[in-house]
Every structure is written in C-alpha cells, then in structure tokens.
C-alpha cells in the first residue's frame, strides 16, 4: 500500500532570488536536497534539466527536499518557502515548486498564477501520484525526473514572452494573438458576471479573467496587468499579474 500523500496549493509568484523559511533558511537553487536523499550525480543531472528548461522557456521549476516540516502543514511550509524565493518572472507568475518531505511522507506541488491557469487540479493530482509511487519505492531521482518531465510538458507548451504592450497591437494581430501575452494598463469601467471590464487611454475595451486571490477591485481603479489572450472578439485575457493604481 502506498502511504505517500500529496497536496496542491496555488500562490502568486515573482523572480528567483532570496530565501527564508520560518525556522531554517534554505538557499535557493534548482535542486535543494536538505533531506539528503539524492546522490550527487543525480542532483546535478536534475539541476541541468531544470536550468536548461528555464533557459528555453523562462519557467522557474525547482525541487526541494526537507528534513522536517517542523510541525507545520506542508501547505504552509511550501508557501512560505515559495514566496521567499520569489519564483518565476513577475509579469507571468510562472514558477513551480515541488517539495518532498520524506519523514512525513508528503509531496506537494505549488504553482504561480500564470501556471495555475494551465495546470488543473486534476493534472497536478495525476503528476503527484506518478511521483509518489516512485518516492514510496525509494526512487527519488526517478520520482523528481518523472514529475519534472510531466510539468515541463504542460508549462513548456506555452509561450511566456510578453508579445504586446497595447490593446491596439493585439487587435492588429487579431486571431494570431490568441495564446500570447499582453502587458498594459487600463481603467476599470465595470464588471460583467465574473469578468472585469476595462478601457485603455485610447478607448479600447478589454475583459479580464482574474485569479481568485486578486484584491477587491472597483470601478475607476487604474490597473497594470499582464495576461494571456484567450479570445479576440470581444477581447478576453486571463490575468497572470495585476497591480492597482498603476500610473499611465
């Protein structure tokens, strides 16, 4: 019987720097093996895999093992570490952390908002099951490698570059803009069911699909955002990052 359990948590992200956990600081790296379950050659092979993926996609995917969760929930521990490391590009929130706690027999995947739009809970669950089966058999490199390849296949299938800096540029490209990223600023003019309606300084209108953790928004708020175009008529964008009171 496999005793490994797994959980998913979605949190916002920014770039790969700095680090702080509640009791034991961990220095950020592609692979941090505090629990010492990986052979040196396995660790370096996984690091090469992750750094190469980052170079080709800009997606910051990291793997961490810890000696203990220090009586914290794995969700709280991973969220604190993930936030302190500021994973992913700020405009796309495309970080991913896989955290393994061998003593507690837990594995957890945390993704930024940009990745969360593309990786459903069901997909993450299936990836965790694949990893947990291998971790439970003591196959730590294989567990990480399997999970990383599955996550890479999903996150790497998308573009993460900012392709447009105005709504007019998106409109000019029309259907070719679908799936690509716009970064600009607008004023909120209303709400339409679960959409935020906004207008830029040229009078172009856009409808924003915002993450659940975005602060309360109001009409006439000035916002800066980046998002992936999902529809062109009318223009819809899935927001990857959003700030309020962004200056024109």
């Amino acid at each position: 019987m496999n005793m490994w359990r797994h959980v998913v948590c979605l949190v916002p992200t920014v770039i790969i720097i700095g680090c702080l956990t509640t009791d034991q600081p961990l220095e950020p790296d592609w692979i941090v093996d505090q629990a010492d379950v990986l052979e040196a050659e396995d660790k370096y092979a996984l690091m090469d895999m992750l750094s190469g993926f980052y170079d080709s996609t800009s997606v910051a995917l990291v793997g961490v093992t810890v000696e203990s969760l220090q009586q914290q929930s794995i969700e709280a521990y991973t969220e604190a570490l993930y936030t302190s490391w500021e994973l992913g590009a700020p405009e796309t929130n495309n970080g991913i952390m896989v955290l393994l706690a061998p003593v507690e027999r837990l594995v957890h995947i945390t993704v930024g908002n940009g990745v969360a739009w593309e990786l459903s809970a069901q997909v993450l669950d299936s990836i965790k099951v694949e990893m947990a089966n291998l971790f439970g058999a003591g196959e730590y490199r294989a567990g990480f490698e399997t999970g990383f390849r599955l996550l890479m296949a999903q996150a790497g299938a998308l573009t993460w570059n900012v392709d447009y800096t105005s709504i007019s540029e998106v409109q000019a490209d029309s259907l070719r803009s679908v799936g690509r990223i716009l970064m600009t600023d607008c004023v909120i003019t209303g709400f339409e069911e679960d959409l935020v309606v906004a207008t830029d300084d040229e009078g172009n209108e856009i409808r924003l699909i915002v993450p659940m953790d975005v602060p309360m928004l109001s009409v006439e708020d000035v916002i800066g955002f980046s998002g992936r175009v999902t529809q062109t008529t009318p223009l819809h964008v899935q927001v990857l990052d959003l700030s309020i009171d962004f200056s024109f």
Side-chain angles (χ1 to χ4, degrees):
M1 177 178 176
N2 194 318
M3 295 176 63
W4 285 88
R5 292 172 286 163
H6 30 270
V7 206
V8 179
C9 177
L10 310 181
V11 300
T13 51
V14 251
I15 286 179
I16 203 171
I17 309 181
C19 154
L20 177 68
T21 56
T22 306
D23 297 314
Q24 170 125 22
L26 296 177
E27 292 299 323
D29 208 338
W30 299 114
I31 294 290
V32 175
D33 183 23
Q34 186 190 55
D36 196 26
V37 297
L38 294 168
E39 299 292 336
E41 63 184 58
D42 296 336
K43 177 180 174 180
Y44 294 132
L46 291 171
M47 291 175 71
D48 286 345
M49 178 184 185
L50 299 179
S51 62
F53 182 63
Y54 176 79
D55 289 342
S56 63
T57 65
S58 85
V59 177
L61 169 56
V62 303
V64 180
T65 74
V66 295
E67 291 178 345
S68 168
L69 295 173
Q70 303 164 5
Q71 298 184 332
Q72 299 179 65
S73 70
I74 194 168
E75 297 92 343
Y77 191 102
T78 310
E79 182 173 341
L81 183 62
Y82 184 88
T83 300
S84 72
W85 283 13
E86 299 184 322
L87 291 177
E91 65 273 12
T92 54
N93 280 322
N94 59 350
I96 306 173
M97 177 180 283
V98 178
L99 188 137
L100 168 64
V103 171
E104 290 87 355
R105 301 184 69 82
L106 293 168
V107 57
H108 181 81
I109 301 175
T110 299
V111 302
N113 282 331
V115 180
W117 286 121
E118 315 303 334
L119 289 172
S120 68
Q122 291 80 6
V123 169
L124 289 173
D125 282 344
S126 68
I127 293 172
K128 290 182 294 178
V129 168
E130 294 277 351
M131 299 181 74
N133 287 336
L134 291 163
F135 289 148
E139 299 289 338
Y140 294 107
R141 173 178 173 173
F144 276 116
E145 195 169 57
T146 296
F148 291 159
R149 291 196 184 283
L150 292 169
L151 290 164
M152 288 175 177
Q154 296 287 327
L158 302 163
T159 176
W160 294 99
N161 300 318
V162 174
D163 297 299
Y164 307 105
T165 56
S166 72
I167 294 175
S168 296
E169 291 176 350
V170 175
Q171 292 172 334
D173 258 4
S174 188
L175 292 177
R176 290 175 296 180
S177 67
V178 174
R180 299 168 73 180
I181 295 174
L182 162 69
M183 183 168 66
T184 190
D185 39 69
C186 288
V187 177
I188 295 177
T189 56
F191 300 91
E192 193 175 276
E193 296 182 349
D194 56 348
L195 302 174
V196 175
V197 182
T199 305
D200 68 8
D201 58 355
E202 296 178 346
N204 297 309
E205 191 172 78
I206 189 169
R207 287 164 172 77
L208 306 177
I209 308 163
V210 301
M212 294 294 291
D213 60 0
V214 165
M216 184 70 70
L217 299 172
S218 303
V219 172
E220 298 187 1
D221 279 348
V222 181
I223 58 172
F225 67 90
S226 60
R228 196 177 301 280
V229 177
T230 61
Q231 178 180 313
T232 57
T233 309
L235 180 58
H236 285 57
V237 165
Q238 282 181 338
V239 171
L240 308 179
D241 182 68
L242 184 146
S243 59
I244 305 172
D245 293 329
F246 189 91
S247 301
F248 280 98

